[in-house]
Amino acid sequence: MVTTPGSIRHEWRLCLGKPRGARYPRSTCAKIGSVVATAAVVRKGDLIQVVNPATLERVRDVRVFRDDEIRGTVDLCRDAQGEWAQRSVAERIEILRKFRDAIVDHKDEIAATIVMETGKPAHEAVAVEIFYSCNMVDYYTKIAAETLRPESRSSLNPLFKTKKLEVACLPHGVVGFITPWNFPFMFTCGDIVPALLAGNGVVIKPSEITPLSGLLVERLAAELFPRDLVRVVTGYGEAGASLVGCADYVSFTGSVSTGKKVMAKAAETLTPLSLELGGKDPLIVLSDADLHRAAAATAWGALFNAGQACISVERVYVEKSVASEFTRLLVKEVEKVRQGPDEHAPIDIGSMTSARQLGIVESHVDDAVRKGAHVEIGGRRNGRYQGYFYEPTVLTGVTHDMLIMTEETFGPVIPIMAVKDREEALAMANDSRYGLSASIFTRDTRLARSMARQIRAGAVCINDCCVNYIVPELPFGGFKESGIGFRHSPGGLTKFCRQQAMLEDRIGLRREPVWFPYTEGKASLFNRLIPLLFRSGLRRKILG
Ligand code: ADP
């Protein structure tokens, strides 16, 4: 095994050594049978066995980086970053655009890799993950020059008119990305775009369940960016913790419990970070809503990616008067959803990405049923396939005493609760430790806007759902335990910078009035200046 930091840079070839443009033929994947009955990833010494969760075929092994190797990789990246930061923003933009072209050129290979390690439909790999990543390059390369330009400021206080003021955006250095398994390409490829434009190097620790998309990003980047500027270190949680210990900024996307550990570890070195954590997103349907649109949106918002999205609809509150009609329409929508492995395309949803996640979904549904919920459709594993399939499910008669309404399920389950009125809907929507996003369906958009302001969540969609995530003009971040900081929008670029303030004297007096010595004359000057500058009203400023 190659272990020295200097040679780590080509290690991916050992893990994923595929020629450019090559496909992963299914015939080369070995079945690993019963071993994967309990995990989508198998820990085997210093190797991770990656498994296709839809077929249970063993796909490929990747290695586990040790702590010293991760530190070595970050050092190499930091060297590369020094040179990258010297380049103009225009040069960085040009390379990022070539990177986007490479993504487009390799979209079939990328989609195949995503499908193979997540079990999702190829359509979603393309329409969500690849689309998002290209759109991130598109958006950020358009705003980077303006957003990163040093900004001159002029003081509002006449005393400081003698100073020239400027604010510059300087890169943090090496940004460590710790990424999850639900969108393994989007969270590596898309997320690194603003960090690179801001002049950082990036080291990515992909999820041990889905490391292949990250390795593919590293391979595509290696052909365009300075050597070692974009690196991937594979491994388990320990590898993530090592990266937190040596990166200059940490961007974490994952569960609340791991996010808290990452924040505690970052506190040891006071490393700045952003956390995008879980969600339990509510969708409210008012009695005047277009119920057909609301039902179709709910089915998609809750079931795309087999419900394994932080922004997926996890709770539905519908006004009593339309609850049964809405449920009927929703069940009709869910009946039409086609599930299976991608090779059975066209399909709408695939498998869960890990056996662990399948177990969580089962336990939440079982808990709800035990406590009195009614299964309208689904409610069990899909036994037609070998992989980790759970049938799209609708539950009614749910309450907030059930895990399905309080904990993140991250699965294809739609629990519906009938509520008395919109006040109750709002109270229920806010009754959560999460606050990522929410949706409201009503024809009264004025009312919806006022309700939106009362929902404690980072984003609210009106007569729509989830799609705000792929609109980078809007900031995306969570309230409460859903996270700290945000991505997207100009702030999603500047968060990868430290602001540096510069003040330059314009006059060149021998001595400034605030400097030593402190004389009685200076004291009385300030005593007169303070009322003059800060008292309200001209008369009071002058006359006291
Ligand atoms: P899940 O529980 O849904 O699998 P996690 O939040 O645990 O998701 O994982 C998200 C990412 O965080 C993965 O890349 C994982 O390896 C990494 N990770 C897990 N534990 C730690 C840790 N203690 N420190 C840093 N990263 C970690």
Side-chain angles (χ1 to χ4, degrees):
M1 211 35 88
V2 179
T3 50
T4 58
S7 55
I8 292 169
R9 64 170 67 101
H10 296 304
E11 181 58 17
W12 62 266
R13 292 181 204 284
L14 297 179
C15 312
L16 191 66
K18 272 188 340 77
R20 200 181 164 138
R23 285 181 157 270
Y24 295 93
R26 246 164 234 292
S27 54
T28 61
C29 298
K31 292 259 181 198
I32 65 166
S34 61
V35 182
V36 291
T38 54
V41 55
V42 179
R43 190 166 195 150
K44 201 173 164 230
D46 61 356
L47 286 181
I48 299 169
Q49 292 179 353
V50 182
V51 171
N52 182 331
T55 61
L56 304 192
E57 288 168 343
R58 180 169 153 197
V59 177
R60 202 164 288 263
D61 293 353
V62 302
R63 62 188 295 261
V64 174
F65 277 65
R66 295 191 318 259
D67 178 72
D68 60 316
E69 293 173 317
I70 291 168
R71 287 178 180 278
T73 305
V74 169
D75 287 345
L76 288 171
C77 182
R78 198 172 278 116
D79 289 346
Q81 184 267 332
E83 189 259 320
W84 178 246
Q86 297 307 312
R87 298 203 193 179
S88 67
V89 175
E91 273 181 83
R92 291 182 219 150
I93 288 173
E94 203 184 311
I95 296 184
L96 260 300
R97 289 194 171 139
K98 286 186 185 151
F99 184 52
R100 180 189 52 194
D101 292 342
I103 298 169
V104 176
D105 291 344
H106 290 79
K107 76 177 168 32
D108 293 343
E109 181 188 354
I110 296 168
T113 306
I114 297 170
V115 168
M116 198 165 37
E117 62 180 354
T118 61
K120 70 177 73 179
H123 173 76
E124 265 175 15
V126 174
V128 179
E129 301 211 44
I130 296 176
F131 175 89
Y132 172 90
S133 303
C134 292
N135 198 38
M136 283 290 273
V137 178
D138 205 54
Y139 172 70
Y140 277 118
T141 54
K142 282 178 181 155
I143 68 158
E146 174 74 23
T147 310
L148 297 172
R149 184 173 298 135
E151 186 194 335
S152 297
R153 296 207 181 146
S154 147
S155 175
L156 299 176
N157 188 316
L159 286 189
F160 302 125
K161 292 288 183 201
T162 58
K163 311 295 174 192
K164 194 173 161 186
L165 311 178
E166 194 178 280
V167 183
C169 286
L170 305 184
H172 286 283
V174 175
V175 179
F177 283 88
I178 300 172
T179 63
W181 45 261
N182 54 343
F183 295 97
F185 186 76
M186 177 171 108
F187 282 131
T188 47
C189 188
D191 279 12
I192 63 175
V193 169
L196 289 167
L197 279 169
N200 297 283
V202 302
V203 176
I204 303 159
K205 206 302 277 175
S207 168
E208 55 274 31
I209 297 171
T210 54
L212 303 182
S213 299
L215 288 165
L216 185 49
V217 170
E218 185 185 50
R219 198 189 92 205
L220 296 178
E223 294 180 19
L224 294 166
F225 293 94
R227 190 175 174 146
D228 295 319
L229 190 75
V230 178
R231 294 298 312 273
V232 169
V233 290
T234 45
Y236 296 93
E238 298 90 318
S242 295
L243 183 56
V244 177
C246 56
D248 303 309
Y249 182 95
V250 173
S251 169
F252 173 82
T253 307
S255 61
V256 173
S257 58
T258 305
K260 287 178 180 175
K261 286 184 208 159
V262 166
M263 192 162 174
K265 175 83 183 163
E268 290 171 15
T269 42
L270 287 179
T271 303
L273 83 171
S274 54
L275 305 172
E276 197 226 287
L277 309 176
K280 189 76 193 167
D281 291 356
L283 182 146
I284 296 173
V285 184
L286 298 185
S287 54
D288 70 336
D290 174 345
L291 295 184
H292 287 90
R293 181 172 169 84
T298 306
W300 176 74
L303 302 179
F304 81 94
N305 212 40
Q308 300 167 117
C310 52
I311 50 165
S312 71
V313 173
E314 291 239 344
R315 302 178 280 154
V316 179
Y317 301 102
V318 51
E319 279 191 304
K320 254 195 187 108
S321 56
V322 292
S324 59
E325 177 60 2
F326 173 79
T327 305
R328 189 184 69 77
L329 292 171
L330 179 63
V331 169
K332 259 177 74 179
E333 289 290 335
V334 173
E335 273 167 359
K336 287 186 275 179
V337 170
R338 298 157 299 180
Q339 186 175 40
D342 187 62
E343 60 207 23
H344 291 203
I347 54 156
D348 301 306
I349 70 168
S351 67
M352 309 302 299
T353 297
S354 73
R356 183 172 159 259
Q357 200 52 46
L358 179 65
I360 292 171
V361 175
E362 278 188 309
S363 71
H364 284 196
V365 174
D366 292 351
D367 172 77
V369 170
R370 217 174 26 250
K371 291 174 180 163
H374 178 70
V375 177
E376 300 286 342
I377 184 172
R380 58 181 181 196
R381 287 186 188 209
N382 184 337
R384 257 170 302 154
Y385 306 106
Q386 250 199 309
Y388 309 135
F389 289 88
Y390 196 87
E391 288 186 2
T393 297
V394 175
L395 300 176
T396 50
V398 295
T399 69
H400 277 215
D401 297 323
M402 301 171 181
L403 296 173
I404 205 81
M405 295 303 272
T406 54
E407 298 300 316
E408 191 172 30
T409 305
F410 229 58
V413 183
I414 314 173
I416 307 175
M417 190 168 168
V419 291
K420 200 164 63 214
D421 51 23
R422 61 173 185 265
E423 276 75 32
E424 193 184 3
L426 274 175
M428 288 296 174
N430 282 330
D431 179 26
S432 173
R433 65 189 172 112
Y434 297 105
L436 200 53
S437 39
S439 310
I440 305 171
F441 282 77
T442 171
R443 287 195 168 89
D444 186 346
T445 51
R446 251 178 84 128
L447 169 69
R449 292 171 72 86
S450 105
M451 285 176 70
R453 296 287 179 251
Q454 297 172 65
I455 294 183
R456 292 193 294 280
V460 181
C461 291
I462 298 171
N463 295 324
D464 214 325
C465 67
C466 305
V467 83
N468 62 298
Y469 190 88
I470 55 171
V471 179
E473 286 77 3
L474 288 172
F476 181 85
F479 290 9
K480 300 191 267 185
E481 288 200 17
S482 287
I484 291 180
F486 60 93
R487 45 160 64 90
H488 303 162
S489 75
L493 175 59
T494 53
K495 79 175 189 181
F496 291 114
C497 304
R498 290 190 180 277
Q499 288 198 340
Q500 187 186 56
M502 210 183 307
L503 178 148
E504 184 185 326
D505 179 60
R506 295 178 199 266
I507 310 284
L509 295 177
R510 259 214 163 147
R511 201 179 283 273
E512 293 281 326
V514 290
W515 295 356
F516 295 136
Y518 295 157
T519 61
E520 280 190 17
K522 283 183 186 175
S524 86
L525 176 69
F526 274 92
N527 278 326
R528 272 179 285 134
L529 265 177
I530 285 174
L532 196 62
L533 286 173
F534 302 119
R535 240 192 202 133
S536 310
L538 191 59
R539 214 180 130 80
R540 293 192 65 219
K541 273 185 197 297
I542 299 167
L543 303 176

